[in-house]
Amino acid sequence: MKHKKKMNRRERIADYINQRMEGFSKVPNVLADRALKIGALSFLALFLGSYMGRQMDSASFIAWSVVMWLSGIGYAFHLLWCGEKKEYETIEGTVYEIKGKRIPGRVCKVGIRLSDGKQTVLLMDKKHQFTIGKKYRFYFNKRKQGVLFGIQNYSKCRC
């Protein structure tokens, strides 16, 4: 009797893991790539912070490294969860103009021509480089319209 319960529990765990893996395989590549990079960077911060904290005998340095690691891992899982649950909106189109790239400030206006001929303007951070005439796909959070998840050059995308 106990052997059957253990087998059933193992089978349920295996089924649950398979379901989760299928869900994560449906996440767009740009979101999965960003989550992977954020996770790797947070593990690097944990490793280096723990090492430096031990070298300097500073418990607060180690504690801040753990806090940075937890926030990075949490954000990476949030990206994967939003991708799995389809909690994002996509806008894809061709960049037709960029305004405010040379003036002081953090953002510039990027004009996007959608596939149906409509035009829209997005306020984007200047750290993102865009080329006029190329197609891009933008991923936004449905709940928080101001939060950007990722940008993908659509001409290179094989989606």
Side-chain angles (χ1 to χ4, degrees):
M1 185 75 174
K2 288 183 182 180
H3 182 66
K4 282 187 177 183
K5 286 184 181 180
K6 285 184 181 180
M7 270 312 252
N8 288 336
R9 189 179 332 149
R10 289 180 191 159
E11 288 175 3
R12 282 185 281 152
I13 290 172
D15 289 341
Y16 176 75
I17 291 172
N18 285 334
Q19 289 173 354
R20 297 298 293 183
M21 293 304 289
E22 287 175 8
F24 285 141
S25 66
K26 296 176 185 175
V27 175
N29 291 337
V30 68
L31 296 181
D33 184 52
R34 187 164 180 182
L36 177 68
K37 288 177 182 175
I38 290 171
L41 186 63
S42 64
F43 273 111
L44 181 67
L46 176 67
F47 176 72
L48 290 176
S50 299
Y51 176 75
M52 292 303 293
R54 293 269 305 167
Q55 292 296 323
M56 297 185 306
D57 288 330
S58 174
S60 64
F61 204 89
I62 295 172
W64 279 109
S65 300
V66 170
V67 168
M68 286 176 50
W69 171 70
L70 286 173
S71 65
I73 293 297
Y75 185 65
F77 277 114
H78 174 70
L79 283 176
L80 292 174
W81 181 80
C82 287
E84 181 184 7
K85 300 292 184 191
K86 304 283 189 211
E87 292 284 325
Y88 60 89
E89 292 180 18
T90 58
I91 297 174
E92 71 182 57
T94 306
V95 174
Y96 68 89
E97 75 174 338
I98 302 170
K99 289 185 177 179
K101 196 172 187 179
R102 306 267 187 253
I103 62 173
R106 264 188 95 178
V107 295
C108 62
K109 293 181 181 180
V110 179
I112 306 292
R113 184 171 293 121
L114 304 175
S115 59
D116 59 359
K118 294 181 182 177
Q119 296 178 353
T120 186
V121 176
L122 300 174
L123 286 174
M124 302 300 295
D125 198 338
K126 285 186 179 179
K127 67 180 178 181
H128 302 293
Q129 300 294 320
F130 299 104
T131 306
I132 295 175
K134 285 195 175 182
K135 292 183 179 180
Y136 292 93
R137 183 178 291 158
F138 301 91
Y139 294 89
F140 293 96
N141 189 347
K142 282 184 181 179
R143 295 181 189 161
K144 301 175 188 173
Q145 290 297 319
V147 178
L148 178 71
F149 279 154
I151 302 169
Q152 185 174 18
N153 188 344
Y154 187 64
S155 59
K156 293 180 183 177
C157 175
R158 292 186 173 91
C159 302

